[in-house]
Amino acid sequence: MNETILDQLAEIVGNRLLTDVDERVSYGYDSSFGQYMPDYVVQVMATEEVQKIVQLANTHEIPIYPRGASTSLSGGPLPVYGGIVMDFSQWDQQLDIFPDDLLMKVSPGVKTGDIHQLAEEHNLMYAPDPSSSIICTIGGNLAENAGGPRGVKYGVTKDHVLGLEVVTAEGEIIHTGGNTVKNVTGYDMTKLLIGSEGTLGIITEATLRLIPKPADTKTAMIIFDDLYTAGKSISKILTSGVRPSKMEILDQNAVNKVEDYAGLDLPRTAAAILLVEVDGDADVLMKELQVIQQALLEIGVDNVQIASTKEEEAKLWQVRKLVSPAIVESGYTKISEDATVPLSKIPEMFRKIDEVKQRYNLNIVVFGHAGDGNLHPTINTNMRDADEVSRVEDAVEEIFHYAIELGGTLSGEHGIGTMKKPFFPKETGEAGMLFQKAIKQALDPKNILNPGKIFPEAGEKRLVLKND
Ligand SMILES: Cc1cc2nc3c(=O)[nH]c(=O)nc-3n(C[C@H](O)[C@H](O)[C@H](O)COP(=O)(O)OP(=O)(O)OC[C@H]3O[C@@H](n4cnc5c(N)ncnc54)[C@H](O)[C@@H]3O)c2cc1C
C-alpha cells in the first residue's frame, strides 16, 4: 500500500475507504473461483467520486476492479492484479421512475429485484430477470449483459437500456444513448459498453426501458421419458406460433436434487421436465398452451400438466428457483457453466453432456434457459480431489468446444471474466480477438479497467479452478 494513494483515496471517499486485511480479504472473491487480495477498497456513492478515483488510478497506473454484489459466475470482479476494488453495492439510493416516458433512472448499486418491484407498482415491467435478482446489482447486470428466464421472449439486459452515464478510463464523464427508444446518433456505445465486463468504462447511471406488465401468466410442466425428445420439443414449441415468456428445463439429476431438497412431488423417473410459461391477456393463455400441446403431440409428447391455480403455478416455478440451492446442499463445490447452442442443436448438446458425464465419471446436473439454448451444465465436485478437479477441467473444456462446434457460444449470460478466457480465441478466432483488443486498447490505453479479464494471457490454455 502506498501512503500517498491512501491519503488521496481517503480525501475522496472518507471512511468509505477500507484498508484492514479482513476487509480486503472479503473483497477478493466472487461466486466463481479464486481468491485475490486488493490493495484498497473504496465504497463509491457519487459519479464525482468515481471520476476522481479513476483519474488518480490513471495517473499512477493502478488497476481498478468494479464490483457490484459479486454474484458473478465467471470471475468478473476478481482483483487479479490487486489495485483498487470499487464497490458499488452501497450506492443504491437512486431509483427514479418516469411512467409516462416508460423509463427509470438508477444508480449502479440498485438491486435488480428493487427495479422489478418499483416497475410493477406502476403496472410496468423491467423485463431482464436474472435468477440472482434479489441480490445482484444493475451495474453488474449491465457489465455482464445479464439474461434470465424471460430472455426467450424479452431478450437480455442490452435490449432494455436506453442510455448510460459512464466514467472513461481517463476520468471523463460521458453519456451514451438517451431517453428515447430510437437513437441513431453515431455508434451504439450503449450496446458496446453493456457486456464489456467493466473493461471499457465504469457505469455510474443507467436509463432503463420499461414495458407494460403482462396481465396474466399460465404455466405447464411437460414430462419427458428421454432427454433427446426433451431437446427436440424446444424447437417444436418455439415454432408452434406461440412465444412462451419462460421455458426452463431440468434434467433427471436436477429434478431429483430438488425433490431430495424440498419434496415437491416431482416425477423422479422422468428423463427431464420442461416448465413453459405464457403471458398476456388471461383469455388467450389457455388457448396458447393448447397450441403448444398440439404441436408436442406431433412428436409423440403427451404428458403436459397445466397448473390450474396460481398456487400450483407458483409451486412449479419454485422447482426452478430451488435448483441452485438444491445442488449446493447436495454436497461439494458447485461449478456452473452456461454454454449456449442454437435451438436445433439442443438435443445434440444434451447427448454430448451425457456422454462426457459418463466418460469422466462426474456428477453433472443440467438445467437452464431452454428457450434460448442456454444450458447450465453444473458439476458438483470435491475440490480437494486433484484427480477429480482435473477431470472436471477436461470435461468443461470439451463441453465448451462442442458448443462452439455446434455454432454456439462459450457464454450465454455469465460472461467470460477469468473463467473462460483461455477458450476465448476458439470462438472469436485470432483476428476477431485482436479486433476486440483494439477497442480495449483505444478506450483504456493503460489497461487500468478490470485488467486480466476476457482476453487470455500469452500461452494461457487451461481452465484453472484453483489459484493456489
Ligand atoms: C444463484 C445465481 C443465479 C444466477 N442467475 C443468473 C441468471 O439467471 N442470469 C444471468 O445472466 N446471470 C445469473 N447469475 C450471475 C450473476 O448474478 C450476474 O452475472 C450478475 O449480473 C452479476 O451482478 P453483480 O451485481 O453480482 O455483479 P459482480 O458479480 O459484482 O460483477 C460482475 C461484473 O460487473 C462489473 N461491474 C459491476 N459494477 C459495475 C459498474 N458499475 N460499472 C462497470 N462494471 C461493473 C464487475 O467488474 C464484473 O466484471 C447468477 C448468479 C448466481 C450466484
Side-chain angles (χ1 to χ4, degrees), residues 128-146:
D129 62 337
S131 306
S132 50
S133 61
I134 53 165
I135 40 172
C136 64
T137 66
I138 188 69
N141 290 180
L142 292 158
E144 298 289 4
N145 191 13

Side-chain angles (χ1 to χ4, degrees), residues 83-198:
I84 301 171
V85 165
M86 193 176 269
D87 173 15
F88 286 92
S89 64
Q90 306 304 303
W91 188 6
D92 60 357
Q93 294 74 24
Q94 189 196 344
L95 189 57
D96 299 324
I97 189 160
F98 302 87
D100 292 343
D101 291 320
L102 292 173
L103 62 84
M104 206 186 270
K105 288 189 184 278
V106 294
S107 52
V110 170
K111 289 196 180 61
T112 316
D114 292 339
I115 294 171
H116 289 150
Q117 195 183 329
L118 181 61
E120 283 171 27
E121 283 167 18
H122 291 79
N123 212 19
L124 295 169
M125 178 165 92
Y126 172 65
D129 62 337
S131 306
S132 50
S133 61
I134 53 165
I135 40 172
C136 64
T137 66
I138 188 69
N141 290 180
L142 292 158
E144 298 289 4
N145 191 13
R150 286 201 288 244
V152 60
K153 182 167 184 178
Y154 295 103
V156 293
T157 300
K158 73 174 160 50
D159 302 312
H160 300 272
V161 181
L162 300 178
L164 297 173
E165 179 186 84
V166 174
V167 175
T168 69
E170 269 142 15
E172 299 291 339
I173 299 171
I174 60 157
H175 293 89
T176 73
N179 296 326
T180 57
V181 171
K182 288 183 164 178
N183 181 331
V184 289
T185 304
Y187 300 137
D188 192 341
M189 298 310 286
T190 308
K191 283 207 166 67
L192 176 63
L193 286 154
I194 296 174
S196 67
E197 303 191 23

Side-chain angles (χ1 to χ4, degrees), residues 30-31 65-73 76-77 88 108 129-132 135-149 197-198 201-204 320 324 334 369 376 413-414 450:
D30 66 0
S31 303
Y65 291 97
R67 178 181 169 105
S70 68
T71 64
S72 170
L73 295 168
F88 286 92
D129 62 337
S131 306
S132 50
I135 40 172
C136 64
T137 66
I138 188 69
N141 290 180
L142 292 158
E144 298 289 4
N145 191 13
E197 303 191 23
I202 297 185
I203 298 164
T204 47
R320 173 62 180 87
S324 283
K334 172 175 169 277
H369 314 304
H376 292 313
E413 55 181 23
H414 294 167
N450 211 357

